[in-house]
Amino acid sequence: MNRILEEVIHRNAPIVDRIIAEHTAGYVVADNMANAVAETSFDNTSAQALVKHLNGTLVPACQSVVRDLDPTNQLTYMRVATRKFEYLVAPEEYFTITVVQ
Amino acid sequence: MSRISKMSVVERPSQRASKSAAVSKKAPPRDRSYDDDAFVSLFAHRGGRDIIIMDAQGVPLRSTSSQKRTLMYVSNLKPLLFMARNVVRDLDPSNDITFMRIRSNIGEIHMTLGSDFNLIVVQRFRRKFGTKQ
């Protein structure tokens, strides 16, 4: 699974560069199987904290809420805005992308 | 107050019943200017499904849907909102959540966290590839 993920990341490298060049503070790509950080533009400790907090607790809670409201539904995108930053979280099938801006 | 009921009866009689029922069941009833109803009707025209206004504790004050559905939404979404606030504070203690937006295949839910109130807005997409309007 990690190999496939690395390939996908390498293929999307120009897109990632474009995203970073915009008004973002950074991004984190995590794979869902191990809840581990696959690629990030932050330093490792804060990226791991981000992944552990967001992906570990909040995203599954949101998914379960969405499924409670309608069982055929599923979470596609989530956006948490704070005073300083905004976290854009996109959970896919095998991985989760989080962008901080 | 009569102006509100006249407008609602003309446009949406079912919603009028639910709105008055919602206000009477959730005490205390708040008096608002009729700008509030214009806001709600304009928003429903644009694809919005429900609006739920809650106070800072998460108790629903006003809603555009029935009592049962409001309770379902609030009991699911309120812990989520508070959990998100805790997550943000964990990541950065000086940061505080202002707005949260959840998007799924069927619809979108916006949640606003103010100082003395919370607001939830539920939007649905009309067709699969149609315009959300």
Side-chain angles (χ1 to χ4, degrees):
Chain A
M1 194 54 62
N2 262 335
R3 279 304 170 85
I4 304 175
L5 200 57
E6 280 176 19
E7 276 176 41
V8 167
I9 289 175
H10 283 304
R11 258 188 284 139
N12 292 343
I15 304 178
V16 166
D17 288 340
R18 177 181 64 92
I19 292 177
I20 294 177
E22 298 270 332
H23 188 56
T24 63
Y27 71 99
V28 173
V29 177
D31 65 338
N32 287 344
M33 300 287 181
N35 260 351
V37 173
E39 169 140 352
T40 173
S41 78
F42 292 124
D43 55 298
N44 208 10
T45 42
S46 47
Q48 270 179 0
L50 207 71
V51 165
K52 181 172 79 120
H53 279 117
L54 272 183
N55 293 1
T57 55
L58 194 61
V59 166
C62 274
Q63 258 178 2
S64 60
V65 162
V66 161
R67 290 233 182 92
D68 278 347
L69 292 176
D70 185 2
T72 60
N73 211 357
Q74 63 189 14
L75 181 72
T76 52
Y77 184 66
M78 197 174 86
R79 201 166 175 181
V80 182
T82 70
R83 278 196 225 125
K84 293 187 197 170
F85 301 124
E86 190 170 351
Y87 301 94
L88 318 172
V89 183
E92 308 271 333
E93 213 179 302
Y94 295 119
F95 58 93
T96 303
I97 306 177
T98 311
V99 175
V100 182
Q101 67 179 7
Chain B
M1 196 55 169
S2 63
R3 192 157 170 182
I4 296 174
S5 48
K6 227 184 269 183
M7 194 167 69
S8 309
V9 159
V10 161
E11 281 174 330
R12 246 167 261 120
S14 60
Q15 202 178 31
R16 167 186 176 246
S18 74
K19 238 186 270 186
S20 58
V23 167
S24 65
K25 275 177 199 167
K26 302 176 177 78
R30 307 219 146 188
D31 52 13
R32 295 168 189 271
S33 62
Y34 59 86
D35 287 346
D36 182 48
D37 282 335
F39 170 73
V40 167
S41 59
L42 171 71
F43 188 78
H45 171 65
R46 298 271 306 172
R49 189 71 145 175
D50 278 332
I51 302 178
I52 301 174
I53 303 177
M54 311 188 297
D55 66 351
Q57 305 299 325
V59 174
L61 295 172
R62 251 192 97 136
S63 162
T64 61
S65 64
S66 66
Q67 173 96 343
K68 230 190 319 182
R69 186 174 271 249
T70 303
L71 274 178
M72 182 180 75
Y73 274 132
V74 165
S75 64
N76 280 330
L77 292 173
K78 179 182 85 98
L80 193 69
L81 195 49
F82 290 159
M83 192 187 296
R85 175 193 251 172
N86 287 337
V87 162
V88 164
R89 284 244 181 88
D90 279 345
L91 285 174
D92 185 3
S94 57
N95 215 354
D96 198 10
I97 179 176
T98 51
F99 189 79
M100 181 161 163
R101 192 185 194 182
I102 297 179
R103 188 189 168 104
S104 62
N105 284 336
I106 296 184
E108 196 166 349
I109 301 178
H110 299 195
M111 295 183 268
T112 301
L113 201 64
S115 56
D116 8 288
F117 69 97
N118 302 342
L119 183 73
I120 294 180
V121 169
V122 178
Q123 280 177 316
R124 314 284 270 208
F125 306 143
R126 283 190 197 272
R127 291 176 296 275
K128 200 171 166 195
F129 293 109
T131 55
K132 198 169 78 168
Q133 274 299 325

